[in-house]
Each structure stands twice: as structure tokens, then as C-alpha cells.
């Protein structure tokens, strides 16, 4: 990577069970207009002084009102990260809710639990499509 470092974004593939997932949470963007109506994994930018894991816990509390337990990281093809824009890279973990009920509090206007076999049934952001594919491969939950 030349020039300045890309902005690090963290997100979670929220599932019902880390060992045997049967559903995946998708979150529909409300803003900006160019992304509104498209679906993504919940998460956000890592702030100065935070570890990626701390940022993910904070973002999920702020965006969904939940506490989570983290599972395995889903490694991306570019030094372990996923390039989601020319200036942003993403790290993604499998996670399950340990406290609270997910609600669209900030960035999103709808959440949807997608059953296995239907993980591609919403219009994901283009950058998230290969990540969904990797989550499917890692969990084997969507093989139906």
C-alpha cells in the first residue's frame, strides 16, 4: 500500500450460534444516499487508541444496542483484510449476541435475520458480497 494508511473498519457477521450458525444478521443502510437501501454487516471505524476488537464491541453497542461474543475472524484476501473502498479496509469477525436484542439504532433502518440458504437474498453492498461468500464457506451454514 502506497501513500497513507487506509482507514480501518471493523464489522461482525452476527449469527445465532458460533458453532452451528443457522441465521445471519443483515443491516440495511439508511445513509448516505448512495448506499441507502443496501445491506451490510454492522460495524464501523476504529477510533484512535482503540483495538479493532474494542471498536467492534463499541460499534455494536452504539448501532444495535447489543453486547457480543466474538468468534473467528474471517480473513480477507489482502493481508487479512477486505478492501471495501479505495481508502477503507475491513476486518470482520463472526459474533453472537450475548446481551440485548439487536435494533437499528443509528446507521440502519431495518435489520433482518437471514436463514441458512437465504444469505444472499438481500442486495448487499458490492464490497460485502465476497465477504458473505467467505462467511458461507467458513460456516458451511448456507450450503442448503
Amino acid at each position: 500500500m502506497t501513500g497513507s494508511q487506509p482507514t480501518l473498519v471493523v464489522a461482525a457477521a452476527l449469527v445465532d450460534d458460533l458453532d452451528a450458525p443457522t441465521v445471519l444478521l443483515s443491516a440495511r443502510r439508511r445513509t448516505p444516499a448512495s448506499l441507502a437501501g443496501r445491506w451490510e454487516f454492522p460495524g464501523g471505524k476504529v477510533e484512535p487508541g482503540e483495538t479493532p476488537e474494542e471498536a467492534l464491541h463499541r460499534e455494536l453497542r452504539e448501532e444495535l444496542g447489543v453486547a457480543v461474543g466474538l468468534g473467528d475472524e474471517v480473513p480477507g484476501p489482502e493481508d487479512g483484510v477486505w478492501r471495501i473502498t479505495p481508502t477503507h479496509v475491513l476486518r470482520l469477525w463472526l459474533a453472537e449476541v450475548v446481551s440485548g436484542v439487536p435494533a437499528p439504532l443509528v446507521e440502519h433502518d431495518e435489520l433482518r435475520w437471514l436463514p441458512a440458504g437465504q444469505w444472499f437474498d438481500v442486495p448487499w453492498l458490492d464490497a460485502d458480497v465476497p465477504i458473505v461468500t467467505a462467511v458461507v464457506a467458513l460456516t458451511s451454514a448456507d450450503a442448503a
Side-chain angles (χ1 to χ4, degrees):
M1 289 179 226
T2 58
S4 63
Q5 287 286 66
T7 299
L8 179 59
V9 176
V10 291
L14 276 171
V15 294
D16 57 331
D17 185 312
L18 289 173
D19 296 321
T22 62
V23 294
L24 172 69
L25 186 77
S26 58
R28 189 171 66 185
R29 297 261 341 172
R30 181 172 30 209
T31 59
S34 62
L35 303 178
R38 302 288 297 277
W39 297 77
E40 68 177 358
F41 295 103
K45 294 181 184 122
V46 177
E47 299 293 338
E50 283 182 316
T51 68
E53 294 87 349
E54 289 167 345
L56 184 55
H57 285 288
R58 176 186 51 75
E59 286 286 346
L60 295 175
R61 273 192 316 275
E62 291 172 2
E63 286 190 8
L64 304 177
V66 297
V68 300
L70 297 183
D72 293 336
E73 186 170 355
V74 181
E78 192 175 310
D79 294 326
V81 298
W82 301 89
R83 183 159 296 277
I84 54 173
T85 74
T87 58
H88 293 76
V89 294
L90 176 80
R91 289 181 64 188
L92 180 109
W93 283 263
L94 290 173
E96 65 184 351
V97 175
V98 296
S99 173
V101 175
L105 302 176
V106 182
E107 304 279 333
H108 306 102
D109 62 4
E110 184 180 339
L111 302 177
R112 189 177 298 169
W113 287 102
L114 302 170
Q118 298 175 26
W119 288 8
F120 288 98
D121 285 6
V122 296
W124 291 94
L125 294 174
D126 294 343
D128 283 358
V129 172
I131 305 170
V132 176
T133 300
V135 171
V136 168
L138 186 66
T139 63
S140 301
D142 205 46

